[in-house]
Amino acid sequence: MRPILLSGHERALTQVKYNRDGDLIFSVSKDQQICVWYAHNGERLGTYHGHQGAIWTVDVDPTSTIIASGSADNTIRLWDIKTGKCLKTWEFPTAVKRVEFNEDGTKLLGVTEKRMGHLGTIVVLDIIVDVDAEQSDEKAMTIVCDESKATVAGWSYLSKYIIAGHEDGSISQYDAKTGEQILNYPIHELDNAITDIQWSQDRTYFITASKDKNAKLITAKDLEVLKTYVSDTPLNSAIITPKKEYVVLGGGQAAMDVTRTSARQGKFEARFYHKIFEDEIGRVRGHFGPLNTVAAEPNGKGYASGGEDGYVRVHQFDKGYFDFMYEVERERANRIGVTA
Amino acid sequence: MAAQAKHDWADDEDLDDSGIQNAAASSGIVDLPPTQKITNKDGSTTIIEYRYNDNGQKVKTTRRIRFITHREVVNPRVAERKSWPKFGQSAKDGNGPAPDTTSVGENIIFKPSINWRKDAKDESKDPNAQAMKDKLKDKKVKCRICNGEHFTARCPYKDTMAPIGEAADVAAGGMDDGGDPALASVGAAGAGKKGSYVPPALRGAGGAKGESMSGGSKYGERDDLATLRVTNVSEMAEEGELRDMFERFGRVTRVFLAKDRDTGMAKGFAFISFADREDAVKACNKMDGWGFKHLILRVEFAKKAA
């Protein structure tokens, strides 16, 4: 496969997102602008300007009408995808590290940083998915994380729970209506921050990435660890690929240590694991720095990765990727083929 | 590809000094030749465009494009989004990907495999080690000094007896595993200046096999069709670096860099085996004369070890 390199950012990428149809890619970096790209050819559709600080996160609503972004300038902003216009700004006392729409786009959660005497919080905003609508100023709910700040968070299936990953390596489950903490398990090693949570397509389970070099597949309902993927480098991002039963992990040495090592030792590769068998099945190299973020194409045809090197690489999988099967999988496929 | 068409740098000087009229005359007001579109025989189209750059210089851009119609059915929402006007920093970009933000990376071969890690290791080490072992199984160690069954370096007569190659007649007979009459005659003729240094690049030039190859016979009949001999390699070179350099042309199955046993420094030559001979040809053409660590590499196909 020939990856497409997107070089619209001048600084390290922080998050990359596909919209639900898989035709647009949104990328944010520390250089204060959001870029949107056509996924099929890497053409840049536009940029969104207004943030005054590094942008940590972006998310797109399910209808691809609006996007939300969270930044180190202590705001969450809502943008019209088509025109690049900023529709709404919410101010917070500290930086916003993660935003995510729920399944139908009516709610948005934001994770705010713990700093300057303010505790880390998860805020929920009501959203009207319409470019012309007047968005509410009020926060629908605020969850305060008084033990360990949340680093990432997301909505489970049916917007029933909010799942948050914490700096101390624990995962918690909150009731999405009341904000009450239901569960909190120390799933990753103590004091190894959870760096990413991404969902399966039906949002019944998710994958976490952590600085403890492991990624775990966890159920949303009772936070049961289903699978563990062990790697040899701190992880920044993990995805579950649709269509094929793989997971992709992205990571690499911390940015501050990079100058001391060569690119090969730096382990700046996307690692593919089989979702069920937990085996590593291959790597894709290309980045010159650690991978900060990985995003799966919703149709399972490819993935995009954003690195500390400022590039987004968009990959379309070859036939070999789709053909690969374990022996047991092949046997099963053959059996089904015979009976059908 | 941008070529500056018929614009002398000397004119630029004038242009700066002599004010607005001149500047206006040479920057923008003069009409540009119209964009040309030429349809080539092979179905591609050549587009020649002219424009002025920021310095008022005329720039000619020649692009050769082949249009391939690729039909894809997408849902209406996606189709609609494809017609959206660009905005923000991309507002001025034309149709299609802008070259300053979008480029295509090198081809990456990615094939999931259960034992990909083992595969990667195997191809670098194991087959060679195995092949070497097989070849060495029925070979005997032979001393060059006394023909005894030990290494020359361990010979008890090392300091007292001259090696067999010292005298011309012994040289011809002594290189029994060389067996090449041409080499024997070279050895005989050059016996007087035996100790003189012959650069690695010249060793193979006389039509005889290189001196560096004399040890190569023990590697046996490896597939030499896709093996390159690289000479004039820096002492500081590492196998990994060579591998990186040659992997660009295709799958490298083996990299052998001769190293001094004691110092660990490279001896100045290496062998690179490719999985595919065509890749090897490509690599040979490209890498011959390539500068690497202050030295210019010489790359040629390895000759069959006699």
Side-chain angles (χ1 to χ4, degrees):
Chain A
M1 56 188 175
R2 274 190 178 276
I4 305 174
L5 274 66
L6 311 181
S7 50
H9 293 288
E10 283 158 14
R11 290 197 57 201
L13 270 290
T14 48
Q15 199 172 19
V16 175
K17 272 271 160 110
Y18 279 92
N19 68 341
R20 186 170 280 185
D21 295 318
D23 64 319
L24 297 178
I25 297 173
F26 298 89
S27 63
V28 288
S29 84
K30 294 178 182 171
D31 69 358
Q32 311 187 2
Q33 65 174 7
I34 308 166
C35 291
V36 54
W37 315 79
Y38 288 115
H40 69 289
N41 64 354
E43 184 178 352
R44 186 162 74 177
L45 172 60
T47 54
Y48 304 83
H49 295 271
H51 275 298
Q52 305 290 315
I55 306 173
W56 291 112
T57 173
V58 67
D59 198 21
V60 53
D61 88 294
T63 62
S64 305
T65 312
I66 50 176
I67 54 167
S69 61
S71 156
D73 64 2
N74 304 349
T75 61
I76 289 180
R77 283 170 201 251
L78 217 56
W79 311 81
D80 178 7
I81 292 181
K82 188 175 178 178
T83 60
K85 216 167 60 192
C86 181
L87 301 173
K88 176 79 187 167
T89 305
W90 288 275
E91 298 239 0
F92 296 93
T94 56
V96 180
K97 294 303 281 279
R98 181 58 71 114
V99 291
E100 191 174 295
F101 283 102
N102 68 347
E103 265 176 313
D104 57 2
T106 53
K107 283 182 158 65
L108 178 76
L109 69 75
V111 177
T112 65
E113 184 72 273
K114 174 185 179 180
R115 193 159 290 158
M116 297 182 293
H118 295 280
L119 285 170
T121 63
I122 301 169
V123 294
V124 176
L125 302 161
D126 284 323
I127 302 290
I128 306 159
V129 185
D130 185 355
V131 175
D132 303 317
E134 185 70 32
Q135 307 287 350
S136 156
D137 277 321
E138 292 302 311
K139 291 164 202 153
M141 190 171 69
T142 304
I143 301 167
V144 179
C145 308
D146 39 15
E147 279 185 21
S148 174
K149 73 169 185 192
T151 49
V152 286
W155 298 91
S156 79
Y157 59 96
L158 305 175
S159 308
K160 197 169 177 188
Y161 308 113
I162 291 174
I163 306 290
H166 295 274
E167 199 184 23
D168 65 357
S170 67
I171 306 273
S172 34
Q173 183 195 52
Y174 298 94
D175 187 308
K177 294 218 168 60
T178 61
E180 198 182 325
Q181 190 176 71
I182 304 168
L183 298 170
N184 178 285
Y185 293 139
I187 284 175
H188 282 277
E189 269 174 45
L190 189 65
D191 291 334
N192 282 286
I194 311 286
T195 47
D196 199 11
I197 283 184
Q198 296 209 38
W199 292 93
S200 68
Q201 279 197 303
D202 58 6
R203 294 193 186 230
T204 53
Y205 61 95
F206 56 92
I207 189 166
T208 59
S210 165
K211 289 288 178 199
D212 72 357
K213 307 184 180 178
N214 292 339
K216 287 176 196 259
L217 211 63
I218 301 168
T219 59
K221 197 175 173 202
D222 35 31
L223 300 189
E224 184 195 341
V225 177
L226 300 173
K227 300 282 173 190
T228 301
Y229 310 98
V230 182
S231 80
D232 54 358
T233 181
L235 295 175
N236 293 331
S237 193
I239 49 171
I240 302 163
T241 58
K243 205 157 181 175
K244 289 297 282 185
E245 306 279 305
Y246 305 145
V247 300
V248 187
L249 314 183
Q253 228 145 21
M256 56 187 293
D257 298 328
V258 163
T259 49
R260 289 187 236 154
T261 48
S262 75
R264 178 169 290 184
Q265 289 170 321
K267 304 177 178 128
F268 310 136
E269 294 157 317
R271 291 127 197 281
F272 284 71
Y273 287 71
H274 197 281
K275 186 166 79 182
I276 312 297
F277 300 109
E278 302 174 314
D279 293 329
E280 188 167 356
I281 51 170
R283 292 185 184 181
V284 172
R285 53 197 174 85
H287 279 287
F288 298 111
L291 277 74
N292 287 343
T293 172
V294 200
E297 213 262 2
N299 304 317
K301 289 184 203 151
Y303 80 100
S305 56
E308 188 75 20
D309 57 4
Y311 282 95
V312 178
R313 296 173 73 94
V314 184
H315 305 76
Q316 303 276 353
F317 294 126
D318 299 329
K319 193 163 169 293
Y321 169 88
F322 298 104
D323 288 348
F324 172 69
M325 268 193 231
Y326 272 67
E327 206 49 54
V328 284
E329 288 179 290
R330 188 163 292 127
E331 273 168 24
R332 180 167 173 274
N334 288 342
R335 249 200 332 271
I336 292 167
V338 169
T339 53
Chain B
M1 186 175 21
Q4 195 183 323
K6 287 184 190 171
H7 193 281
D8 203 299
W9 58 269
D11 295 345
D12 282 348
E13 289 294 316
D14 278 344
L15 182 152
D16 286 341
D17 293 338
S18 60
I20 306 150
Q21 290 162 310
N22 239 339
S26 69
S27 73
I29 311 296
V30 175
D31 49 301
L32 290 163
T35 302
Q36 282 180 292
K37 277 193 182 177
I38 305 156
T39 310
N40 299 323
K41 272 184 204 148
D42 59 351
S44 62
T45 309
T46 306
I47 301 174
I48 304 170
E49 285 175 331
Y50 297 90
R51 64 184 172 84
Y52 285 106
N53 67 8
D54 296 341
N55 298 329
Q57 294 157 323
K58 198 152 76 178
V59 177
K60 177 183 173 188
T61 314
T62 309
R63 285 185 296 175
R64 201 161 155 199
I65 297 170
R66 183 194 295 273
F67 291 97
I68 298 167
T69 314
H70 169 78
R71 248 172 237 288
E72 194 181 346
V73 179
V74 295
N75 77 35
R77 292 191 304 274
V78 174
E80 195 237 316
R81 283 197 283 268
K82 282 187 179 162
S83 62
W84 280 359
K86 295 186 179 181
F87 58 89
Q89 285 186 353
S90 288
K92 290 192 189 107
D93 293 353
N95 285 334
D100 57 332
T101 54
T102 307
S103 52
V104 177
E106 62 187 292
N107 199 14
I108 294 174
I109 297 161
F110 174 58
K111 233 181 157 183
S113 151
I114 305 162
N115 40 11
W116 69 274
R117 207 190 298 264
K118 221 170 88 210
D119 287 351
K121 231 176 257 166
D122 277 359
E123 70 188 38
S124 66
K125 285 180 192 139
D126 287 0
N128 304 324
Q130 197 52 47
M132 212 197 270
K133 237 178 228 166
D134 290 346
K135 288 296 156 199
L136 287 176
K137 214 159 43 184
D138 41 57
K139 274 260 159 77
K140 277 192 187 124
V141 176
K142 203 174 180 190
C143 174
R144 271 195 318 243
I145 295 172
C146 64
N147 281 343
E149 283 189 19
H150 50 247
F151 289 109
T152 310
R154 302 255 173 82
C155 183
Y157 308 112
K158 192 169 57 173
D159 302 322
T160 50
M161 273 171 77
I164 291 170
E166 193 75 329
D169 53 343
V170 189
M175 295 198 180
D176 49 359
D177 61 350
D180 189 341
L183 178 73
S185 64
V186 167
K193 351 172 216 176
K194 173 97 178 84
S196 66
Y197 173 72
V198 184
L202 295 178
R203 280 173 207 168
K209 65 181 175 131
E211 193 174 275
S212 53
M213 288 290 286
S214 59
S217 65
K218 66 171 175 257
Y219 294 108
E221 299 108 24
R222 200 175 292 107
D223 181 19
D224 282 333
L225 288 174
T227 299
L228 296 176
R229 183 173 70 162
V230 185
T231 46
N232 204 23
V233 181
S234 163
E235 280 191 331
M236 314 295 222
E238 305 264 7
E239 281 192 3
E241 292 169 332
L242 290 172
R243 177 173 285 275
D244 285 351
M245 281 199 304
F246 283 88
E247 228 157 24
R248 278 179 273 177
F249 303 98
R251 208 167 77 93
V252 172
T253 55
R254 177 186 72 122
V255 174
F256 172 77
L257 176 68
K259 282 191 176 156
D260 190 299
R261 202 178 308 169
D262 302 324
T263 61
M265 300 269 244
K267 279 185 170 171
F269 67 95
F271 291 94
I272 317 280
S273 299
F274 282 86
D276 195 351
R277 183 173 158 85
E278 272 170 34
D279 293 336
V281 174
K282 245 189 297 168
C284 183
N285 292 337
K286 276 273 187 247
M287 295 304 288
D288 196 6
W290 187 268
F292 174 60
K293 302 217 169 177
H294 305 297
L295 293 176
I296 291 169
L297 295 183
R298 184 183 159 99
V299 182
E300 58 205 336
F301 273 89
K303 290 181 191 80
K304 202 112 194 140

